[in-house]
Amino acid sequence: VHITFEKIAKAFANAKEKNINQFLQLLEEEANDYLAKLNRNDFHGIIRIIKTYNNSARIELHSDNGLRIENPNGALKTTMYMSVLFAISRITTLKREQDYPLIFDAPTSSFGGFKEDTFYNVIDNIDKQCIIVTKDFITGSEIRMDDIKKLTCTVYRIRKAPSFDPNDLSTIRTTISKVQ
């Protein structure tokens, strides 16, 4: 009986290890797909998800020659982490048939102009609710409608109502208006 239980325990441990490794491989593949999309026509590297000794994992960016990229620029680092988030979201939808909204606060603040368009095009092709809070489409106080018209999603403008007491937080109100 002892030997049987020992073999069953080893089988469970091996199955768990195999499932973890398969999940990390799938996550890596999906993340690299999004990384390529977010950095189209630019260097993007390869995401590696490394399992650590204490059964956690870390995300690393590597060059095609296998070298780890120690200090990626801000935009590349941001897209690396976004890619993993998009991959987790996609896998969750596929495996559990559950969908969670993606919420971003100023996601493109470290991007240059052309990467902003790429990011919004990738988001536009994700089949789920995405809420993005950004100032990307505003110059001064004017909305850049030419950029907004390129999107197929609904766009709202959130503004602070002009009549408030700057010394009284409770007087701040917001207005929401549909732009597109």
Side-chain angles (χ1 to χ4, degrees):
V1 173
H2 173 70
I3 293 171
T4 302
F5 279 135
E6 187 177 298
K7 287 182 179 182
I8 291 171
K10 283 183 182 178
F12 278 126
N14 289 338
K16 180 181 175 184
E17 184 72 19
K18 183 179 176 184
N19 285 340
I20 289 170
N21 291 338
Q22 286 176 342
F23 171 75
L24 292 178
Q25 181 64 36
L26 177 61
L27 182 60
E28 196 174 278
E29 290 169 10
E30 291 287 333
N32 278 302
D33 183 48
Y34 280 109
L35 186 67
K37 290 176 185 176
L38 287 169
N39 292 286
R40 187 188 49 180
N41 299 326
D42 200 3
F43 174 78
H44 53 79
I46 301 166
I47 292 174
R48 295 282 182 238
I49 301 177
I50 312 296
K51 192 170 127 187
T52 62
Y53 68 92
N54 61 355
N55 281 332
S56 64
R58 72 175 181 272
I59 304 164
E60 294 181 353
L61 192 62
H62 287 250
S63 186
D64 196 31
N65 64 6
L67 293 177
R68 182 173 179 220
I69 300 170
E70 297 293 331
N71 292 313
N73 66 37
L76 186 55
K77 192 173 189 178
T78 299
T79 58
M80 177 183 72
Y81 289 122
M82 278 183 184
S83 298
V84 173
L85 288 174
F86 290 157
I88 290 169
S89 178
R90 179 167 162 68
I91 292 169
T92 301
T93 301
L94 293 174
K95 297 285 185 184
R96 301 204 185 247
E97 297 178 359
Q98 293 178 344
D99 230 356
Y100 302 98
L102 295 173
I103 301 172
F104 297 95
D105 182 11
T108 62
S109 61
S110 64
F111 293 2
F114 79 95
K115 274 199 193 286
E116 287 175 4
D117 292 348
T118 302
F119 169 77
Y120 289 112
N121 287 333
V122 168
I123 287 288
D124 198 31
N125 289 317
I126 292 177
D127 188 25
K128 64 174 49 220
Q129 182 184 23
C130 297
I131 299 167
I132 304 169
V133 180
T134 184
K135 294 181 181 178
D136 287 349
F137 300 104
I138 297 176
T139 302
S141 63
E142 297 297 315
I143 297 175
R144 296 191 325 256
M145 288 306 293
D146 290 342
D147 292 334
I148 297 279
K149 288 178 183 174
K150 294 177 189 174
L151 304 174
T152 59
C153 58
T154 306
V155 177
Y156 294 92
R157 183 169 189 182
I158 302 171
R159 300 168 114 176
K160 185 171 40 184
S163 58
F164 72 95
D165 178 352
N167 297 318
D168 185 356
L169 184 62
S170 69
T171 64
I172 295 179
R173 303 283 181 262
T174 56
T175 61
I176 301 172
S177 56
K178 187 173 182 178
V179 176
Q180 172 178 303

